[in-house]
Amino acid sequence: HLFADVLQAHLRHERPEQVAGLHLRASRWYTDAGVPESAVRHALAAGDVERAAVLAEAALPALQRDRQEGVIRRWMGDFPDDVLQARPVLAVGFVGALMSSNEFADIEGRLKGVERQLPAIRSRIEANASGTAARTDSAEDTFGIRAVDDAELARVPSAVELYRAGLCLVTGDLPATHRHARRAVEASTAEDDVVRAAAFGLSGLAHWACGELDAAHERYASCIEGLRRVGHVSDVLGCSITLADIRLAQGRLRDAHASYDQGFRLAAAAGGATRGVADMHVGLSQWALERGLLAEAREQIERARSLGEERGLPQFPYRLRAAAAMLAAADGDVTSALAWVAEAQQVYLGDFSPNVRPLHAVAARLLVQQGDIDAAVRWARDHDVSSLQGLTYVREFEHVTLAEVLLARHRRDGIESMLGEATELLQRLREAAEDGGRVGALIDIVILQAMTEASRGNVADALSLLGRAVDLSEPEGQVQAFMRHGVLLLPLLEALAALPGARPFVHALRDACGAVPASVVNPGTEPSASMQAGRPVEALSARELEVLHLLDTELAGPEIARHLFVSLNTLRTHTKTIYTKLGVTSRRAAVRRGRELGLLSPL
């Protein structure tokens, strides 16, 4: 690169008159080689903005098909406003790239610019149909606009309606989303599968945001069919993930897996290197986690990570980290899970899908699991989550999380009002989930209801509710909803398994919960001593064993940190993880438990 810079400096100094011509030759070479990004770059370097605009506009369909919105976005600052005003196809292509990248700040102004050209576009389209249009791309025609391809120009009015629908969805105006999506379909040409498919997709997402999952799935299935016909494989993969998410919310795990299977087959037929494949592996890891298949979930996450972010869609970085957090929590490593969630929050990029599982609520559940109830209570206050609010599907996950926080506070502090508040909230949530056919949420809610009745001492009612949760879970083999409560749910499952005629699935759930490392350590939720003595303990890492041995000395915390050449904060993280894995709450208890397990020398 340094030698190239030197040569170019000599060229500009010794033969400046040749520079533009050489860039044009390079632009033509890259055009013939099918590398539009470099072809446009050299045309711009030659000062030929018009040629660059023609090349960029001609490249749009293929770049959009392959989800190369990053290439399109890099061109945005290269073309002055007068070029975009004369080229509505290029201008609306830039809007599409921004929408695909979830960058909405500049879209309203750009859309208005294209909308001002709609009368001229319609006039030219009509003239084309009658055969009177002046067909030229080198100069503005009688309508004041230019286009490389009249078929692409004819798509602009429907694309404007489509992007209006997208903006309405982002701002939460769901009726307007449906209205603009319908207009996009009505304005689309007979050959425009892309706009119609995208309109169906946006309308489906509006249904999803309302909790209308069957309608959402139907629209999204229509979206996928349209995208498949035109070869938009990456978009099909992204939509397949959405279909699977909807099915998971409905508790239909087999159907979710089928969506992933179809997506993988399509990607394989397209060569296997399609963007979105990495996201599919992340999605499949979540399916495996729901089934309690931790080894498979871990394998899918590793496959996704090995493919790299360049093989993922824009949301891949946060999806991957969120999936890693859920796996770590299932392994009993809540400290690592919280760290993964923090990373996911830093790289979070929303899309048009409703954020029905916000990361801050995921973190709150982990805080409860870790025993930091006060932090979980602050979460509810900071994010305005209240049991008195009206219920919506978009906030269902948050309200179920709040019920967990209320139950945890009751276990710790014995405040009866917390139990009553949780009971009322859970009943409302249950009715809403049943009405909406959201079996995934319903299982979570009924389990919490069972735990609530157990806290009251109503064992018969608790077992009846837990039996209902088992009935809902068994057909699809959903295990994770039970496992995430671990030893807290174990006494109820043992009692249910002891009943005459208990099904094998109940025994499997009991064994799965019994194998989960206890990670809840705060007073009021720590398992009894007898339960602790028999439960498995997650293995300590080599570093954690080293810290445990140093805890069994007279060294103070700062001295141990200096000995290990780590910060005091890092030492506290290690210590907290050790306490979690050993199921204790203090240094002395950790040392005693270490001796019981043979990790330290006996006295």
Side-chain angles (χ1 to χ4, degrees):
H1 291 293
L2 181 61
F3 189 46
D5 290 342
V6 171
L7 290 176
Q8 289 177 20
H10 277 292
L11 173 65
R12 289 190 295 270
H13 177 69
E14 298 173 9
R15 305 177 189 178
E17 72 285 354
Q18 294 184 15
V19 172
L22 289 170
H23 276 298
L24 284 175
R25 285 174 59 189
S27 179
R28 287 192 291 271
W29 189 94
Y30 278 115
T31 300
D32 293 340
V35 188
E37 184 174 16
S38 296
V40 170
R41 175 166 51 84
H42 281 289
L44 290 168
D48 194 340
V49 177
E50 183 60 27
R51 173 182 171 80
V54 170
L55 293 173
E57 187 177 316
L60 284 176
L63 292 172
Q64 290 168 334
R65 180 195 64 218
D66 297 333
R67 290 300 303 268
Q68 296 296 316
E69 56 268 0
V71 173
I72 303 172
R73 281 181 15 246
R74 284 193 287 274
W75 288 336
M76 288 186 184
D78 296 329
F79 296 100
D81 289 343
D82 60 326
V83 172
L84 296 180
Q85 289 169 8
R87 292 193 169 277
V89 173
L90 185 60
V92 85
F94 286 170
V95 171
L98 288 170
M99 295 286 277
S100 296
S101 304
N102 308 299
E103 299 174 22
F104 305 110
D106 199 27
I107 286 178
E108 180 64 34
R110 290 180 180 272
L111 270 181
K112 286 182 176 178
V114 177
E115 286 170 336
R116 285 192 289 270
Q117 295 296 330
L118 288 178
I121 293 170
R122 293 190 177 101
S123 296
R124 175 162 167 169
I125 292 170
E126 291 171 2
N128 285 340
S130 63
T132 61
R135 297 175 178 274
T136 176
D137 190 73
S138 59
E140 290 185 10
D141 63 18
T142 56
F143 303 103
I145 53 176
R146 307 173 191 170
V148 174
D149 184 347
D150 284 335
E152 290 298 313
L153 184 67
R155 295 180 62 244
V156 171
S158 59
V160 168
E161 291 291 346
L162 178 70
Y163 297 141
R164 282 286 174 204
L167 274 183
C168 290
L169 182 61
V170 169
T171 57
D173 190 345
L174 303 183
T177 302
H178 290 301
R179 185 170 61 251
H180 284 289
R182 184 172 59 252
R183 289 175 182 172
V185 172
E186 292 168 351
S188 64
T189 62
E191 301 80 17
D192 196 352
D193 282 311
V194 174
V195 164
R196 285 198 299 276
F200 284 132
L202 291 173
S203 186
L205 290 175
H207 282 298
W208 189 9
C210 293
E212 299 163 353
L213 301 189
D214 284 331
H217 190 277
E218 179 185 348
R219 295 297 178 92
Y220 243 80
S222 298
C223 170
I224 284 181
E225 285 305 311
L227 293 172
R228 196 194 306 271
R229 281 195 295 271
V230 291
H232 281 227
V233 178
S234 290
D235 285 322
V236 170
L237 298 187
C239 292
S240 297
I241 294 167
T242 300
L243 278 185
D245 284 345
I246 292 171
R247 288 311 196 202
L248 288 175
Q250 292 177 311
R252 297 170 62 171
L253 271 61
R254 281 190 289 268
D255 289 342
H257 195 277
S259 294
Y260 289 126
D261 277 346
Q262 292 170 7
F264 280 123
R265 285 197 296 270
L266 183 63
T274 309
R275 281 191 75 189
V277 171
D279 302 74
M280 295 281 287
H281 284 294
V282 172
L284 201 52
S285 77
Q286 297 308 285
W287 171 88
L289 199 59
E290 287 292 321
R291 296 286 307 274
L293 307 174
L294 271 58
E296 183 171 347
R298 187 173 293 104
E299 179 184 348
Q300 294 297 333
I301 288 175
E302 288 306 317
R303 286 186 182 182
R305 187 180 286 118
S306 67
L307 287 172
E309 294 189 2
E310 67 278 2
R311 298 278 288 279
L313 296 170
Q315 296 78 33
F316 174 74
Y318 97 81
R319 283 176 178 162
L320 177 66
R321 289 161 175 81
M326 294 301 94
L327 178 60
D331 279 333
D333 188 353
V334 183
T335 302
S336 294
L338 282 166
W340 278 119
V341 170
E343 282 195 29
Q345 289 173 316
Q346 291 171 4
V347 297
Y348 175 76
L349 181 63
D351 59 7
F352 294 101
S353 299
N355 189 14
V356 296
R357 195 183 179 91
L359 290 168
H360 61 78
V362 173
R365 292 190 178 193
L366 292 171
L367 289 169
V368 171
Q369 198 173 346
Q370 192 179 55
D372 195 347
I373 310 303
D374 291 334
V377 171
R378 287 194 298 273
W379 159 81
R381 183 182 63 246
D382 294 345
H383 290 86
D384 190 29
V385 187
S386 163
S387 61
L388 301 177
Q389 292 165 331
L391 301 182
T392 63
Y393 172 59
V394 172
R395 302 201 71 183
E396 184 173 67
F397 187 85
E398 294 173 84
H399 283 114
V400 175
T401 303
L402 175 62
E404 291 194 30
V405 175
L406 293 170
L407 288 175
R409 283 195 68 188
H410 174 265
R411 284 194 300 269
R412 185 189 68 177
D413 303 328
I415 304 174
E416 287 302 316
S417 62
M418 297 291 102
L419 207 55
E421 192 175 342
T423 300
E424 183 180 344
L425 175 60
L426 286 168
Q427 184 57 35
R428 293 169 59 215
L429 286 165
R430 178 175 178 173
E431 291 169 1
E434 286 175 335
D435 289 344
R438 298 187 293 273
V439 176
L442 184 58
I443 294 169
D444 277 336
I445 293 164
V446 176
I447 290 173
L448 291 173
Q449 285 186 312
M451 295 170 68
T452 302
E453 292 306 314
S455 295
R456 283 199 171 93
N458 299 333
V459 177
D461 290 342
L463 292 179
S464 176
L465 286 163
L466 193 60
R468 173 61 178 152
V470 171
D471 291 341
L472 291 167
S473 304
E474 186 172 10
E476 302 281 344
Q478 288 166 279
V479 174
Q480 183 56 30
F482 298 84
M483 287 179 64
R484 70 186 189 86
H485 296 291
V487 295
L488 290 176
L489 199 57
L490 190 57
L492 281 178
L493 283 169
E494 287 177 337
L496 196 63
L499 293 176
R503 301 190 299 275
F505 187 64
V506 176
H507 293 272
L509 290 173
R510 178 202 58 194
D511 294 343
C513 286
V516 175
S519 52
V520 183
V521 298
N522 60 295
T525 61
E526 186 172 354
S528 65
S530 60
M531 189 179 290
Q532 281 210 51
R535 74 168 174 82
V537 173
E538 183 181 359
L540 301 184
S541 68
R543 188 61 153 177
E544 289 159 359
L545 279 172
E546 184 179 7
V547 172
L548 180 61
H549 279 85
L550 290 170
L551 294 176
D552 189 22
T553 67
E554 298 299 321
L555 295 176
E559 294 171 315
I560 293 175
R562 285 195 295 272
H563 179 85
L564 295 171
F565 298 100
V566 298
S567 69
L568 192 55
N569 267 345
T570 299
L571 174 64
R572 287 171 179 158
T573 299
H574 285 312
T575 304
K576 200 169 187 180
T577 303
I578 292 168
Y579 290 176
T580 297
K581 289 183 176 182
L582 297 182
V584 298
T585 60
S586 68
R587 177 173 178 171
R588 180 177 296 178
V591 170
R592 182 173 62 252
R593 184 75 170 128
R595 289 202 178 96
E596 291 172 358
L597 295 169
L599 302 175
L600 297 172
S601 300
L603 287 174

